[in-house]
């Protein structure tokens, strides 16, 4: 049956079938090619979209804005609303649903995107919560398809570091959905919660994916993709000392890259990244703990293995695909 995502929210990849994710990736590849060919989109003509950010962002906000403008829509950026303070989430959702055709939300609890979807009556897109970051995973899968000369089902992705954050959780689910080999190289106390691992394993049993966790670096052997994320996510800033102590053995260095045994391995990072002293936070950490890089060495970050900036660009193409598929009218693009 043809995939039809009209009117759907995008809250977690758990809600999407492998065929639906495939459809979004194919659409993203097509929209990227169209943009490179200079084609102007109209699929979101007349649509108004609100972008709610309760946490900071560069890529996600800019991707939603550019993607929307590229397809003829309009955006409002909202970072200081009444929601949850002077007005309930439910009432705010009902108001925004009257004014807007789609809502993006970035913040803390997954419950918030779920309730926005429940009460607004329009598609809601998860731009990152503490639990999941599903639009990022689409960009990651797209980048893998561009850079690894194997179908996704044959790709082994190893995620190093904080495996129970939004990226660890979402990559595990995304890889399971697409029949990939997912391995987390992380200390046991930072593995994803058991309930989510069971869900991922149940999906994997259907798709032929494998899910593995290890504290031993040998798990990177044979990897096609090495992935990492910050050791301290937004909202967890009190945890730097503990995380540096726990996660330093899991930094992606050239030794780890060599240990894959794969000269064609690629390095991915959702960004932002602490790989040098170019940030105020990085400099504070250096003053306090004497380290100049955290989750990835500067050498790997800047190496020929790194596809982090292709990945950042692909945020826009994949977010565009999500908005167009759930809200747009592609027949207007000719
Ligand atoms: N990767 C990502 O979500 O980046 P931003 O926090 O800049 O949006
Ligand atoms: N885990 C990170 C991802 C940033 C895109 C965070 O939540 O801060």
């Amino acid at each position: 049956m043809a995939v039809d995502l009209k009117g759907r929210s995008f809250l977690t990849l758990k809600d999407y079938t492998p065929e639906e994710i495939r459809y979004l990736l194919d659409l993203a590849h097509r929209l990227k090619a169209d943009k490179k060919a200079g084609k102007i989109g109209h699929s979101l003509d007349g649509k108004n979209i609100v972008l709610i950010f309760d946490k900071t962002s560069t890529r996600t906000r800019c991707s939603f804005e550019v993607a929307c403008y590229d397809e003829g829509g309009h955006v409002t950026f909202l970072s200081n609303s009444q929601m949850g303070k002077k007005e309930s989430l439910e009432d705010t959702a009902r108001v925004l649903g009257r004014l807007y055709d789609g809502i993006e939300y970035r913040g803390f609890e997954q419950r918030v995107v779920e309730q926005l979807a429940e009460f607004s009556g329009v598609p809601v897109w998860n731009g990152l919560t503490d639990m999941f970051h599903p639009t990022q995973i689409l960009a990651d899968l797209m980048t893998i398809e561009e850079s690894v000369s194997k179908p996704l089902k044959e790709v082994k992705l190893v995620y190093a570091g904080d495996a129970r954050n939004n990226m660890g959780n979402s990559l595990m689910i995304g890889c399971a959905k697409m029949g990939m080999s997912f391995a987390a190289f992380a200390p046991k106390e930072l593995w994803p919660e058991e309930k989510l691992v069971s869900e991922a394993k149940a999906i994997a049993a259907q798709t032929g994916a494998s899910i593995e966790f290890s504290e031993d670096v040998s798990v990177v052997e044979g990897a096609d993709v090495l992935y990492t994320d910050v050791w301290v996510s937004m909202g967890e800033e009190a945890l730097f000392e503990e995380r540096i102590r726990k996660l330093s053995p899991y930094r992606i260095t050239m030794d780890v890259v060599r240990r894959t045994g794969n000269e064609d391995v690629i390095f991915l990072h959702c960004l932002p990244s602490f790989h040098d002293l170019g940030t105020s936070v990085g400099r504070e950490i250096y003053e306090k703990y004497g380290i100049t890089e955290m989750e990835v060495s500067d050498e790997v970050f800047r190496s020929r293995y790194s596809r982090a900036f292709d990945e950042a660009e692909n945020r826009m193409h994949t977010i565009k695909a999500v908005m167009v598929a759930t809200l747009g009218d592609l027949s207007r693009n000719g």
Side-chain angles (χ1 to χ4, degrees):
M1 220 173 66
V3 171
D4 180 5
L5 301 177
K6 286 286 163 302
R8 289 268 301 274
S9 286
F10 189 71
L11 309 181
T12 159
L13 287 174
K14 286 197 289 176
D15 300 339
Y16 278 61
T17 64
E19 294 71 31
E20 289 168 343
I21 297 170
R22 181 69 264 156
Y23 174 85
L24 289 170
L25 290 172
D26 289 344
L27 182 57
H29 286 296
R30 172 179 155 193
L31 291 167
K32 181 172 182 176
D34 284 352
K35 176 150 178 154
K36 303 278 175 200
K39 282 196 192 166
I40 307 292
H42 293 282
S43 67
L44 295 173
D45 275 1
K47 301 293 186 195
N48 291 299
I49 284 157
V50 62
L51 310 177
I52 309 174
F53 281 82
D54 285 344
K55 285 178 177 169
T56 53
S57 170
T58 299
R59 277 146 291 273
T60 308
R61 175 190 174 171
C62 297
S63 294
F64 270 96
E65 292 210 13
V66 171
C68 191
Y69 293 135
D70 274 356
E71 291 295 320
H74 307 274
V75 299
T76 301
F77 177 71
L78 196 58
S79 68
N80 193 20
S81 75
Q82 315 278 22
M83 187 172 79
K85 296 167 212 135
K86 283 172 68 185
E87 185 169 52
S88 70
L89 184 50
E90 177 178 345
D91 291 357
T92 307
R94 291 188 192 283
V95 170
L96 295 176
R98 296 290 182 106
L99 299 181
Y100 291 96
D101 302 293
I103 301 171
E104 179 277 351
Y105 177 77
R106 164 172 290 198
F108 296 86
E109 294 171 79
Q110 183 70 12
R111 178 187 63 86
V112 177
V113 272
E114 285 165 6
Q115 290 188 2
L116 283 171
E118 183 181 349
F119 297 114
S120 67
V122 298
V124 173
W125 308 297
N126 181 354
L128 180 148
T129 61
D130 289 346
M131 191 70 188
F132 294 119
H133 196 7
T135 63
Q136 177 70 51
I137 307 310
L138 292 179
D140 303 339
L141 296 175
M142 182 179 189
T143 311
I144 293 168
E145 290 194 316
E146 290 174 339
S147 306
V148 177
S149 54
K150 284 180 178 178
L152 288 179
K153 271 184 177 292
E154 292 172 25
V155 169
K156 175 175 177 177
L157 181 149
V158 180
Y159 175 85
D162 179 8
R164 44 95 276 158
N165 73 8
N166 40 26
M167 285 309 308
N169 289 342
S170 306
L171 280 167
M172 177 174 70
I173 297 294
C175 290
K177 288 273 179 181
M178 301 318 280
M180 297 164 66
S181 271
F182 171 84
F185 170 43
K188 195 162 191 177
E189 61 207 279
L190 294 176
W191 293 359
E193 63 181 41
E194 266 178 39
K195 183 172 169 291
L196 193 66
V197 172
S198 303
E199 288 181 61
K201 286 190 170 163
I203 298 166
Q206 303 282 319
T207 63
S210 64
I211 312 279
E212 180 184 3
F213 302 93
S214 179
E215 295 187 321
D216 192 307
V217 69
S218 62
V219 75
V220 307
E221 287 166 12
D224 301 291
V225 182
L226 287 175
Y227 201 118
T228 191
D229 182 19
V230 289
W231 291 344
V232 174
S233 287
M234 290 180 274
E236 298 183 328
E237 287 74 10
L239 296 176
F240 269 110
E241 185 169 343
E242 178 190 323
R243 290 287 168 75
I244 288 168
R245 188 165 30 80
K246 284 184 185 155
L247 288 172
S248 290
Y250 301 88
R251 174 180 296 122
I252 296 195
T253 60
M254 273 304 176
D255 282 343
V256 176
V257 170
R258 278 189 285 271
R259 190 70 192 259
T260 65
N262 179 5
E263 253 310 291
D264 297 323
V265 67
I266 62 166
F267 168 74
L268 295 180
H269 191 311
C270 54
L271 305 180
S273 165
F274 293 115
H275 60 91
D276 61 13
L277 296 182
T279 64
S280 56
V281 175
R283 287 191 291 276
E284 267 174 49
I285 296 294
Y286 174 69
E287 295 295 317
K288 264 182 139 167
Y289 308 105
I291 57 172
T292 59
E293 47 199 23
M294 282 192 269
E295 69 276 6
V296 56
S297 70
D298 197 46
E299 187 185 10
V300 172
F301 189 86
R302 295 178 192 277
S303 72
R304 68 177 181 83
Y305 301 102
S306 181
R307 299 289 187 283
F309 295 108
D310 294 335
E311 188 185 1
E313 176 188 334
N314 287 338
R315 294 299 309 288
M316 198 283 286
H317 304 296
T318 44
I319 281 172
K320 188 186 281 179
V322 171
M323 287 196 290
V324 168
T326 56
L327 187 63
D329 178 357
L330 270 173
S331 69
R332 291 197 188 136
N333 283 6

